[in-house]
C-alpha cells in the first residue's frame, strides 16, 4: 500500500507468512553461515524432535543443524517477521531438551524471524541477540568449551607473566564478573602499570581454562598492535601461534589462536569472520569516540569482550561504561595513578611553567566548547585529535626567534644525565610544519648536538625506525612528536615532557603524561637517567595547560576477590 505525501513515498511493511519469511530471509542467513540447505548432512527441515516416527504432540523443529557424526548441533525455531521471536523460547527449550535424550549432549538453539536472531544455550546462559547464525565450526568450538571449560578462579595465574598484586586482582575481578554471567568487563589501569602484561595474564588464564581458544586483540593505533604482538604475545605466550589480521584475506591466519588488528583494518574485514569466530576480544585504549566510528564492529562479534583504558574513571564517558556492561558507572577493576605512585610502581612529576609561553587570547580554532566537542563526537570524530594546520595558531608558533628562545629555556631547565646531556625527552608539537620548524630552530641554537633531535610523525618514510631508535639507542635524546608518541609507546627512560601545544581534553592530557610515569624498575638503560635514578619526571609547559591534580578518584572500597 502506497501513501504519497510531499514528494515522499512510504511503503508499509508486508505481513508475510512464516513460510515466506523462511524462504526469503532465514534461508539466505543460514546459507551465509555455511548451512547449505541442499546438503542434508548439515541441515534438515521440519524434523520431529523424537525423530521421524515421533508422536505428533511432541513438536516439529523448523531447522536442525547437524555435526558430522549425525548428532544435532543446533535447532532453529523460525517465526514470521511480525512475531516477537523471543516468545518462542519455551518452545525451543522443549525441543532441545527432548533431543538431548537421544544423543550425547544438549543442542544449542537459535530463535529467528528474519529480522532478529537470538542464540540460546539452554541451562547455561540467558539468550542473547546475535548478528548472524554461527558456523558449524563455531558451534563445535562452543560445544568443546561447554564440555571442557574449567572455572577461571581455579587456574593459577602464571607469575612469570603477572608479578604484581594489583594485576592479579584485575585478573580475578574479570574472572568473577564472567563467572557471574556477564560477557563484558572494563579494566581501568593508570598508564605504566602494566596493562599489556595484565592482558597476557588474562589471556593465559582463559586459554588454560579452556574458556577461549581464539582470542583477538584490537587497538586503534598501529604501534599498539605491534607492541601487543612483540612485547605481549611473543614474549609471554611464545608457544601459541599468533597472526596479525591484514586488510587482505590471508587464509593462513585462520589456523592461529592469537590474533591482533587495528580497528581500522578490522572495520574493513570483519564480515569475513563469523560472529562467533572469536571467543574473547580485548579492546585496548577504549574511549567514547570509537563507539560512534566503529560501533558496527563492536556489535558484530559475539565473543566475550574486555575493554582496557588508562583514562581516569571520572573522565570515562557513560557510553563506555554501558558498552562494557558497567551500568553503575564503576569499572570492573580500577587502579589509579595516585595509588600506583603511592605503591611506588609509578613516579609523579614536577611542573615547570615556561616563561616564553604563548598567549592564548585571540587565537582562533584552538579551543572548542563542550557543545562543539559533543557535536563532533556524535559525527564519529575525536575532538582530541584537532589539526591546527592553517589556523592563526600555526602562524603564531612558527616565529623562528620565539622557537630558539624556547629551546634555550628547555635546555636550561630539563633533567640531564651525569654527563650533562639531556635525558630522554618528548616534545609534543601541534603540526608537522611546527615539528620541522622546531627541529630547525634547535640546530640553529645547538649545532654541536648532532643527531640529538628527531621528528617522529605518522606519515614519514620508515617511521618505525626513529621510534625504535628513540626507545633503544642513546640518540636521539629528544623526540619531536605529532600524535605518534602521545599514547601507547613505552620509553621508560623518558625524564622530560615538553608541551608545545594546547591540550583541551583531560583524557588526552592524562595519556600524554603517562609517557613519563614509568618507574626506574622499568628502565633498561640506567646510564640515561640522572645520577640519583628516576624519582620523578619533569613537565615543561608552554601553553598553560590544566595539569590540575584535584580530580582524585575514589577506589572501590569493596573487598578484593581473593579476600572474599
Amino acid at each position: 500500500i502506497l501513501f504519497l505525501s510531499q514528494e515522499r513515498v512510504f511503503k508499509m511493511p508486508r505481513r508475510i507468512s512464516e513460510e515466506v519469511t523462511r524462504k526469503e530471509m532465514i534461508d539466505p542467513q543460514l546459507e551465509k553461515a555455511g548451512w547449505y540447505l541442499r546438503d542434508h548432512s548439515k541441515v534438515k527441515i521440519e524434523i520431529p524432535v523424537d525423530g521421524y516416527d515421533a508422536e505428533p504432540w511432541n513438536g516439529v523443529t523448523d531447522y536442525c543443524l547437524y555435526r558430522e557424526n549425525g548428532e544435532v548441533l543446533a535447532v532453529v525455531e523460525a517465526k514470521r517477521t511480525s512475531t516477537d521471536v523471543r516468545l518462542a523460547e519455551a518452545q525451543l527449550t522443549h525441543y532441545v531438551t527432548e533431543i538431548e535424550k537421544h544423543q550425547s549432549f544438549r543442542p544449542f538453539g537459535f530463535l529467528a524471524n528474519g529480522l532478529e536472531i537470538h542464540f540460546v544455550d539452554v541451562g547455561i546462559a540467558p539468550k542473547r541477540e546475535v548478528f548472524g547464525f554461527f558456523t558449524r565450526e563455531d558451534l563445535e568450538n562452543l560445544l568443546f568449551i561447554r564440555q571442557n571449560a574449567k572455572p577461571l578462579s581455579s587456574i593459577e595465574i602464571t607469575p612469570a607473566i603477572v608479578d604484581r598484586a594489583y594485576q592479579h586482582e584485575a585478573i580475578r575481578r574479570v574472572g568473577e564478573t564472567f563467572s557471574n554471567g556477564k560477557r563484558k568487563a572494563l579494566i581501568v589501569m593508570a598508564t605504566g602499570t602494566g596493562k599489556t602484561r595484565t592482558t597476557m595474564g588474562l589471556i593465559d588464564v582463559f586459554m588454560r581454562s579452556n574458556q577461549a581458544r581464539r582470542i583477538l586483540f584490537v587497538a586503534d593505533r598501529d604501534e599498539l598492535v605491534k607492541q601487543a604482538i612483540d612485547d605481549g604475545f611473543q614474549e609471554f605466550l611464545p608457544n601459541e601461534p599468533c597472526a596479525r589480521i591484514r586488510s587482505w584475506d590471508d587464509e593462513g591466519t585462520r589456523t592461529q589462536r592469537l590474533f591482533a588488528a587495528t580497528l581500522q583494518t578490522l572495520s574493513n574485514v570483519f564480515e569475513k569472520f563469523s560472529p562467533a569466530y572469536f571467543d574473547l576480544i580485548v579492546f585496548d585504549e577504549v574511549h567514547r569516540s570509537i563507539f560512534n566510528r566503529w560501533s558496527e564492529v563492536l556489535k558484530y562479534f559475539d565473543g566475550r569482550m574486555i575493554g582496557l583504558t588508562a583514562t581516569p574513571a571520572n573522565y570515562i564517558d557513560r557510553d563506555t561504561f554501558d558498552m562494557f556492561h558497567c551500568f553503575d558507572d564503576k569499572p570492573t577493576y580500577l587502579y589509579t595513578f595516585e595509588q600506583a605512585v603511592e605503591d611506588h610502581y609509578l613516579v609523579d612529576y614536577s611542573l615547570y611553567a615556561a616563561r616564553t609561553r604563548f598567549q592564548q587570547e585571540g587565537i582562533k580554532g584552538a579551543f572548542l566548547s563542550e557543545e562543539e566537542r559533543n557535536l563532533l563526537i556524535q559525527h564519529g570524530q575525536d575532538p582530541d585529535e584537532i589539526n591546527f594546520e592553517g589556523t592563526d595558531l600555526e602562524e603564531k608558533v612558527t616565529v623562528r626567534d620565539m622557537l630558539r628562545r624556547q629551546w634555550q629555556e628547555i635546555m636550561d631547565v630539563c633533567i640531564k644525565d651525569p654527563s650533562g646531556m639531556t635525558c630522554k625527552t618528548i616534545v609534543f608539537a601541534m603540526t608537522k610544519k611546527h615539528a620541522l620548524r622546531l627541529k630547525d630552530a634547535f640546530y640553529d641554537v645547538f649545532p654541536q648536538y648532532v643527531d640529538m633531535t628527531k621528528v617522529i610523525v605518522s606519515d614519514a618514510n620508515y617511521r618505525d625506525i626513529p621510534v625504535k631508535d628513540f626507545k633503544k639507542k642513546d640518540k636521539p635524546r629528544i623526540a619531536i612528536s605529532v600524535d605518534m608518541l602521545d599514547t601507547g609507546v613505552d620509553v621508560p627512560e623518558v625524564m622530560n615532557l615538553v608541551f608545545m601545544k594546547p591540550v583541551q581534553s583531560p583524557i588526552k592530557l592524562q595519556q600524554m603524561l603517562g609517557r613519563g610515569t614509568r618507574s626506574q624498575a622499568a628502565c633498561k638503560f640506567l646510564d640515561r637517567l640522572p645520577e640519583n635514578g628516576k624519582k620523578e619526571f619533569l613537565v615543561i609547559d608552554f601553553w598553560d595547560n590544566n595539569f590540575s591534580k584535584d580530580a582524585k578518584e575514589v577506589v572501590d572500597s569493596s573487598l578484593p576477590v581473593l579476600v572474599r
Side-chain angles (χ1 to χ4, degrees), residues 214-278:
R214 291 188 295 238
I215 297 168
L216 173 63
F217 181 93
V218 185
D220 65 349
R221 294 180 57 205
D222 188 64
E223 290 70 26
L224 296 176
V225 172
K226 291 178 182 177
Q227 186 171 283
I229 294 174
D230 297 340
D231 301 339
F233 291 155
Q234 294 180 354
E235 181 173 351
F236 297 112
L237 302 168
N239 298 321
E240 294 293 346
C242 67
R244 177 164 182 174
I245 297 174
R246 303 286 186 177
S247 294
W248 59 87
D249 192 18
D250 182 0
E251 292 294 338
T253 64
R254 305 299 176 91
T255 62
Q256 312 303 312
R257 298 188 68 189
L258 302 176
F259 301 80
T262 62
L263 264 171
Q264 294 85 340
T265 296
L266 195 62
S267 68
N268 293 328
V269 302
F270 69 94
E271 289 186 295
K272 294 179 180 179
F273 299 90
S274 63
Y277 189 84
F278 300 107

Side-chain angles (χ1 to χ4, degrees), residues 461-478:
N461 293 332
Y462 304 100
R463 65 178 184 177
D464 292 339
I465 294 176
V467 174
K468 290 180 180 178
D469 289 349
F470 183 62
K471 291 176 70 171
K472 298 181 179 181
K473 294 184 178 181
D474 186 59
K475 291 182 179 179
R477 286 295 181 99
I478 301 173

Side-chain angles (χ1 to χ4, degrees), residues 313-490:
N314 51 317
Y315 291 133
I316 293 177
D317 190 82
R318 178 63 187 269
D319 289 343
T320 305
F321 285 119
D322 288 350
M323 177 60 70
F324 291 95
H325 293 180
C326 298
F327 300 118
D328 57 358
D329 289 355
K330 291 182 179 179
T332 307
Y333 180 71
L334 172 66
Y335 190 66
T336 66
F337 170 74
E338 290 78 16
Q339 187 63 49
V341 170
E342 185 177 329
D343 295 341
H344 304 292
Y345 289 120
L346 296 180
V347 297
D348 209 341
Y349 62 91
S350 295
L351 178 63
Y352 173 82
R355 294 187 301 274
T356 51
R357 284 183 289 175
F358 297 108
Q359 296 301 312
Q360 296 177 2
E361 291 78 18
I363 296 176
K364 300 175 183 177
F367 300 95
L368 297 173
S369 68
E370 192 62 28
E371 182 181 358
E372 291 167 329
R373 290 173 61 81
N374 289 333
L375 189 62
L376 283 172
I377 292 167
Q378 290 170 16
H379 287 82
Q381 301 298 316
D382 189 346
D384 303 332
E385 298 175 359
I386 297 171
N387 182 2
F388 296 104
E389 205 80 47
T391 65
D392 290 350
L393 181 60
E394 170 69 19
E395 298 172 8
K396 291 273 187 182
V397 301
T398 52
V399 178
R400 194 71 165 245
D401 185 59
M402 171 73 81
L403 301 184
R404 295 189 190 109
R405 287 189 285 125
Q406 289 175 328
W407 276 120
Q408 186 65 62
E409 187 170 3
I410 291 170
M411 298 301 282
D412 285 345
V413 303
C414 70
I415 298 175
K416 302 175 180 65
D417 69 16
S419 72
M421 184 185 298
T422 179
C423 293
K424 288 284 183 176
T425 300
I426 297 176
V427 177
F428 300 113
M430 284 181 290
T431 68
K432 293 183 287 292
K433 290 180 181 178
H434 183 209
L436 292 170
R437 287 171 176 145
L438 277 168
K439 180 182 176 182
D440 291 342
F442 176 85
Y443 286 114
D444 285 347
V445 184
F446 303 105
Q448 69 272 31
Y449 294 141
V450 180
D451 295 330
M452 177 72 78
T453 301
K454 296 288 183 183
V455 171
I456 301 178
V457 294
S458 59
D459 57 354
N461 293 332
Y462 304 100
R463 65 178 184 177
D464 292 339
I465 294 176
V467 174
K468 290 180 180 178
D469 289 349
F470 183 62
K471 291 176 70 171
K472 298 181 179 181
K473 294 184 178 181
D474 186 59
K475 291 182 179 179
R477 286 295 181 99
I478 301 173
I480 305 174
S481 165
V482 181
D483 295 331
M484 281 284 289
L485 300 181
D486 289 7
T487 62
V489 178
D490 295 336

Side-chain angles (χ1 to χ4, degrees), residues 128 145 149-150 152 174-175 177-185 206 209-212 214-216 275 278-283 301-307 324:
R128 59 183 182 270
I145 291 174
K150 304 171 186 175
L152 293 170
V174 172
T177 295
F178 287 151
S179 297
N180 288 337
K182 287 190 176 183
R183 295 184 59 79
K184 296 182 180 181
F206 266 87
S209 66
N210 294 320
Q211 291 213 25
R214 291 188 295 238
I215 297 168
L216 173 63
F278 300 107
D279 305 311
L280 180 68
I281 305 176
V282 180
F283 291 94
F301 290 108
D302 179 64
R304 290 190 280 190
M305 297 182 181
I306 299 173
F324 291 95

